[in-house]
Amino acid sequence: MENLDARFWTAKYKNQETGWDLGQVSPPLKAYFDQLKNKDLKILIPGGGNSYEAEYLHAQGFKKVYAADLSETPLLNLKRRVPTFPNHHLLHIDFFELKDRFDLIIEQTFFCALNPSLRPKYVKKMSQLLKPSGHLVGLLFNATLNNDKPPFGGNQQEYKVLFSKHFNLEIMEPCHNSIKPRLGSELFIKLSPK
């Protein structure tokens, strides 16, 4: 398996090998965002890539949206598209080095991009980054994908076991409003730290 470091991901963006990139906010996440009333929520989108979710939230008046990525390239892409997005909310950092606390963390293709051996570390770090009343919300692939390169898949049963160590599983169910190519292969999750 390749080293999934900043150089690996930057090359993917430079070579336009970004099959995970929808070019828009994911419909299930947009539906979730549209029912949020508190514009003061502090929101993190880790492994955010081109961060259409961050762009959408920013446009809706959320002032505390942070996009984090190992590669600087997608963060610069976001800044080019949305010049008013605050520079200090673009976090060019390894997710595991983040130190802040958030009300809401959005999962969108980050989990499946990590080497599966890092999943227990991901779950623990997510629980540490959330405020006690916070939530981890987003999408996970509920499908067998690749073993040797991202995206890495999985299934609902293994996710329940993995996440239940640090989270209350409020929602983990098949997603009904995925984009057509992902219909039937995504789970919508809403988890709160234990």
Side-chain angles (χ1 to χ4, degrees):
M1 186 181 315
E2 293 189 61
N3 184 9
L4 305 177
D5 60 7
R7 283 201 334 238
F8 172 88
W9 292 108
T10 298
K12 291 282 186 196
Y13 286 102
K14 300 266 190 215
N15 298 325
Q16 298 182 346
E17 297 169 359
T18 54
W20 65 86
D21 189 315
L22 302 182
Q24 65 181 28
V25 61
S26 174
L29 292 177
K30 180 183 180 300
Y32 176 77
F33 298 155
D34 287 347
Q35 54 83 44
L36 293 175
K37 304 282 184 257
N38 182 359
K39 305 284 185 176
D40 288 324
L41 290 172
K42 189 172 181 183
I43 303 171
L44 173 68
I45 304 173
N50 284 319
S51 289
Y52 301 101
E53 286 71 24
E55 179 178 0
Y56 183 77
L57 287 164
H58 180 73
Q60 300 308 305
F62 289 86
K63 303 291 184 215
K64 299 176 185 172
V65 180
Y66 295 80
D69 207 283
L70 197 54
S71 171
E72 190 176 28
T73 302
L75 298 172
L76 296 173
N77 292 344
L78 172 60
K79 187 63 180 176
R80 270 193 292 281
R81 285 194 329 271
V82 189
T84 58
F85 198 90
N87 288 332
H88 64 285
H89 289 197
L90 297 169
L91 309 176
H92 179 215
I93 191 171
D94 182 325
F95 164 75
F96 295 105
E97 301 298 319
L98 284 166
K99 301 279 191 242
D100 213 339
R101 301 290 293 275
F102 299 88
D103 298 301
L104 181 61
I105 301 179
I106 303 302
E107 169 53 52
Q108 163 68 336
T109 71
F110 177 51
F111 179 84
C112 70
L114 289 172
N115 186 315
S117 67
L118 293 173
R119 288 179 174 180
K121 188 177 176 184
Y122 164 103
V123 171
K124 185 175 183 186
K125 184 66 177 179
M126 282 292 186
S127 71
Q128 293 167 346
L129 290 171
L130 281 167
K131 294 177 183 176
S133 61
H135 285 92
L136 171 60
V137 173
L139 303 167
L140 298 174
F141 281 117
N142 189 27
T144 303
L145 299 172
N146 303 309
N147 292 319
D148 59 340
K149 65 179 191 276
F152 301 102
N155 64 65
Q156 187 171 9
Q157 194 50 47
E158 73 183 76
Y159 299 152
K160 282 183 175 180
V161 171
L162 178 67
F163 282 95
S164 64
K165 292 181 176 105
H166 294 281
F167 285 93
N168 300 305
L169 311 181
E170 295 181 20
I171 300 172
M172 184 179 283
E173 59 192 37
C175 196
H176 62 84
N177 53 352
S178 301
I179 62 164
K180 203 168 185 181
R182 295 183 186 172
L183 204 55
S185 64
E186 287 185 315
L187 294 171
F188 182 83
I189 61 167
K190 182 180 182 188
L191 314 176
S192 58
K194 284 186 170 175

